[in-house]
Structure formats: C-alpha cells, structure tokens
Amino acid sequence: MTEAAGSVSGTRRLLRRLRDIMAGSGSAQERLDRIVRIVAAEMVAEVCSAYVMRAGEVLELFATEGLRPEAVHRTRLRVGEGLVGGIAATARPLALADAQSHPDFAYRPETGEEIYHSLMGVPILRGGRVLGVLVVQNRTLRHYTEDEIEVLQTIAMVVAELAARGDLVNPLEIAQSQGGGMLPVRLVGIRLNPGLAVGPAVLHRPRLLIRQVVAEDAAAEIERLRHAVAAMREAIDELIATGRGLGAGEHRDVLETYRMFAADRGWVRRISDAIRSGLTAEAAVQKVRDETRSRMMQVTDPYLRERFLDLEDLANRLQQHLSGQPPSAVSAELPPEFILIARAMGPAELMDYAGRRIMGLVLEEGSPTAHVAIVARAFDIPVIGRVEDATSRIETGDTVVVDGDHAQVLIRPSEHIRQSVAATVEARVRRRAFYDTLRSAAPVTRDGIEIKLLLNAGLLIDVAQLSATGAEGIGLFRTELPFMIRDTFPNVEEQTDLYRHVLDQAEGRAVVFRTLDIGGDKVLPYLHHAVEDNPAMGWRAIRIGLDRPAMLRQQLRALIRAAGRRTLYVKFPMIAEIAEFEHARAILDLELARTAKEGRVLPASTKIGVMLEVPALLWQLPALCERIDFLSIGTNDLVQFLFACDRGNPRLADRYDPLCAPVLALFRELVSQAAAAGVPLSMCGEMAGNPIEAMVLIALGFRTLSMAANAIGPVKTMVRSLDTAAVAGYLDEIGDRPDHSLRPKLEAYARDHGILL
Ligand code: PEP
Ligand code: MG
C-alpha cells in the first residue's frame, strides 16, 4: 500500500510527480488539470480545486477534480466572498471539518459541492501576493492535520510557479488588481546609492523565450548572428554617444569597457561555434550565456563578477537584436515614471531606460563598485543591491518604496506608508530647493565665525558638486574608486589625465588627494592579495603603498604632473607612526626631484598631510605636527579603532555614540595640540557631515569640515543658525558626563536655542 501525502515518503512522491508535470509538455491549463487530479488522489480527497485570481479581485475556478466540470471558468468568487474568498483575503490557510456550517460558506449550485463536508484551503502565494487558492474537500467530517496543511502549502508553491509564468492569466491583469490578498513585504539589501522613491515597479525585461533550439541551416544562423552583432554594436555606440550628455566621468570608462566587450571576437566566436554544433543563433547565445553564468557563480571576487555581468548584459541585448525586439522598442510600453527591478543589470541596460524617468533601482546582485551602480549615481537614482528574490517577490505594477538610505524595499506598502513616503519625498525636494538657495550664502555662524565647508569626492562626476553646493574645495578625494572600475592598474598617463581633469574642473579650488586606500575589502583584481581575517586592520592603504613603492611612486608622479603649476595637496591614509610618514614623504620627494630632473614644471608648492585614523598617532602628535602641513581626521576609521567596533557591522551600528565624553575629550586635545603647533586641522569622516555632530565639532574648535555633497546644505543651514560660544559653554557643562550618549541633551539644546539641525 502506498503512503498518502502527509507522510514524508508520500510528500516526496507527490512532489516528484508535480515536478514531472512542470518539466513536461502541455499547456498551462493541461498541467493544472493534471495537478489537481494528482493532488486529489495523493491526499485522499474527493475534490481538489484551483482558483486563480483575475483582474478586479475575482477568483475563478480554473481546474477541479471532483466538482462539476461545467463549473470550471464559470464559478467566480470575489476576494472576501465565501471560504475561498476569505482565504484569499487573509492569505492564510483554513481547515474545517464541517465547512458547510461555517457562516462564511457561500454555496454555488453549479459546483455540486453540497455533498462535501470538510474543506482545507491554502493561498497560492508568490512574493506575498495571492495569485489564487488551492482547495481540497472530503465527504466525511475530516479533521485535516497540520502536516496536511503544510503539504498543501508546498503544492500551492508549485501552482504559484505555474501562475507566475503568466501562462494562465496575463501577469498585467494580476498586477492591476489592488487591495485584498496582497501582503506588504519588506526586503533588505545593501545601500548602493542613497535616496528615497516611491512608484510602480517594472521588472527589467523578462527573459526571452527561445522558440527554436535546433537550427535547420547553420550558415543562415551565422549570418543572422553577424547582422545582430553589427546592429547591437551600432546601438551601443549610439547609446554611448547619448551618454555624453552626462558629461565626463568614470561612468564613461565603464561604458567604454562595455563597448570593448561587445567588440570582443572571442565571445562571438564561442557563439558561432555553438551554432556550428547545430543550435539556432538564439540558443547559441543562451548556451554561451549559461556557461558564462555558471563560471560566474564560482567567482567570489566582486570585481570579476561585475565583468561577467557585463557579458550577460550583452548576451541579453544580442538576443533582443536576434529576436527583432531591440531594447528601445521594449521600453515603449513603460509608465512615465517607475522603479526598476532586476536580477542584475549592465551599465548600458540602465542607459536604455535613460529617456524614461527611473525613480529607483532594486537589484538582486550588485556591489558598491557595480558598474550599474556607478552609472546610477551619475543619474542620481537611489539603488539597493543584494535584495534576495526581488524579481520573484515583486511583480510589474506593484507599488514599491526604494529607501536607499536604509537599504530597504517596501513592496505594496499600506496607503498610510505610501502617503508618508510621498510626503517625505516632497519635503526632500522642497528642502533641496531651499539648500540650493543657500549655495552662495557664506557658512558663517551667528557669532561671526567662518567655517570652511569642503566636499568629499571619489569620482570625477562628484567634482561638479563643487558649484552645485557652493563648497569651497575638496577636502578628501578618495583616489581608489577609479582604480577599482578598471581591468588593469592605470598607468601614469591615465592617472595624470584623471587628476588633471579633477583639478581643471575644480577651477582653482583646492583639492586634497588622498593616496590609495586599497586593501581590506577594496580589493583590486590585478593586485594579488591574500584573504585576511581582519581586513580593516590588515594590509591596506599606506602599508601597501610602502611595501609596493612602485605603485605609490606612480600615483605621486601622476599627481605632480597633473598639478602643473598649481599647489598640490596630498595626504597619506592610515599612518600609524612617524617613520611611516617619513618613508611616504621621502617617496614624494623622490618623485618631485625626478620631475624637476626631467625638466617638467613643478607645483607652486606641495602641501603634505596625514589622515589621523590610527589611535597610536595620538601620542605622537608633537613630532608629527613638526613634519606636516595639515592634519585631517578620519573618524570613520579612528572611531572604529577607538571603540574596537567594526564600522561595517550593522549589528554594532548603534552600539557606541561618538557624541560621548571620551571622544569629546580627544577632540579638544587634538584642537589644542594642532593650534599650538600651528597646523591646520580638518575633519573628513562621516561625523563632519552630520549637522548635530558638526555643531559639536565647531563648538570644540574645528573650523574646516569635509563631507559628502548632500551634507553641505544641511550643515550650512546649521552653521548659519549657530551661536558657537553658547554651545561651547554648554559643552563645558555637560561634556564630561559619563553618559552612553550626550546626543539627546545636545538635540534638546539645539531645539531650545533655534539651531537648525
Ligand atoms: C575615515 O576613515 O574617516 C575616512 C574618511 O576614510 P575612509 O572612509 O575612506 O576610510
Ligand atoms: Mg579611513
């Protein structure tokens, strides 16, 4: 005797049979018919029925074993109507031994169900959305067990797969239905670009179906491939030409690399070989794409994965050209504004949508250095990456909130949340407009103290923010980003070119370049680097620079050349002792001497600084200050080392607050020592860009703060409302308290004294 579903072996057998149905042939309707038949038999139920959601919140009987066949496609229930409608409305399973005596039972004479007493039903769910209801019924007063409910839920997942393919009901029809049966869902990922947006979701190009796999005429297929490749290359050239509207920037490098891939003969040759083995052009592209994908799965290096993603993007694009549906035509039916959802995406694919208004981007893959993220930043689109199952849990037409600041996606938020997000977006727009009006206003406190507000930058496109924000210069140019988006180490000419562009675009404003801070988690594919247990405290920054002096020398040479006759500002990251600084400085002197010997122009002057990020340096300040031109505090690292608290660990994000007595005492000491030595002091960690923290820093004596572009407006607003002496007095009062955090007191103070935070 075979065991019924509900036992482990019975469930396994049932799932095996369902899998065969899913993998086998036949229309979606035929498969569903087979599924209900098998489920009824295996679950020893007289009835098994599948109801599928149609537009307008209606559940339609799509298939049944046991009810009258003429009821199929005739019996319809509104969400909330009857027991089945109730299961859809609540999205919860229901099991009743005596269903007919339940007050919600809705009798439908055409079904002939009056003879069945017990009923068990589960929602057919996908991504929190109810796509239908799966029901079994028995004549007897049967008490269904928890195990049986679980089995039916598992079967419902298979049916959901079938329904989600869009073969039963057009997915747009489902997407149009609103309200009941759709659960709000929150997904988390990683922040690739901050910002907030709400709008309808559009799933990035569902995969194309390949209708014919085996080719009849290989030569004709090769010819088709040749045409499609040519058309694709032409379209990419055009795309890049359009992208010039974005100005110069690293996103251009990304696109150029992409163009290079498109022109790669090896890739096209692999596709041609697959055609010669008997495949159609589409199937050949698919085969090469799948091979690439399986190779990609083995690659752990995020940078290399990005390269593979570019190739995958190209394969998709090529298939569209082969199918006669080039990407621009696909986007014709898009809503005017939308949130784009994709498993992964190449930079050029994002550009395809550029004519439309993409309000946000959600990716299942992606890293901060993803090419698509870099291009998205150029467009100022909030992006969240590594959102698991985003493409299966979000459907086209769903309302989605992309909260780039908190790396979360809200799917089908309640009306209440939707309104509050829309209000926040609106308030941000208004606030941004207000900050724009402050662009040329001086950052001077109410008691007349001038504050220098500088920009933190890392890409050429950031430099444009100088005039957009009215910042006085760039206090930190992180040089590593451009290195991370290339295939090979950029040579001196390429580096010179980039730094010169940065300086030219800064139009005379000072730019402080920080030498490479790679290592740790910022690994370059072309630099051999062993995996470390503790990368933040590992072989990184100046440690690599001193161990591999050729790299540092080349960078310094490029900086000197780029400066021309201008003043060159350089700072070294992660210096832990005077000897390291002296060593780095000697390398710079060597390069200055070399430049002079070559007869090239020298910078008008060279200002050399140090990032204070390693606590050991705190006890070497007098000797250090004798040797440097400026000191820049990197609180992101300094605070993580002071508290032994990983800055990237979200579980520790709120564990310590830098607004506490020990940190304030440290800053006081730094201000006093720097002033005594006559060394300009600045702060370029995240703290400087947070209005309340900036308020404290200024009250402690800091006069130069460097921050992300979007922080300039809020900090300037705070500065202009600040009475420095009064806050300094308040800090004298409370600064020594051993509280976990002084923030609540400081916030209250600001509120009571009209300081705009
Ligand atoms: C810092 O550590 O505060 C800093 C500015 O450097 P980064 O964030 O690049 O490590
Ligand atoms: Mg740092």
Side-chain angles (χ1 to χ4, degrees), residues 476 478 514 517 540 611 613 634-637 647 684-685:
L476 167 65
R478 292 181 167 101
R514 180 178 73 183
D517 184 359
R540 64 175 274 202
M611 290 280 293
E613 295 163 294
T635 42
N636 306 343
D637 276 312
R647 69 192 250 190
C684 63

Side-chain angles (χ1 to χ4, degrees), residues 512-513 515 556 559 568-572 588 607-609 630:
V512 181
F513 289 96
T515 61
L556 292 169
L559 285 168
L568 173 63
Y569 296 86
V570 183
K571 60 180 168 184
F572 298 112
L588 176 60
K607 305 281 183 208
I608 309 166
F630 62 94

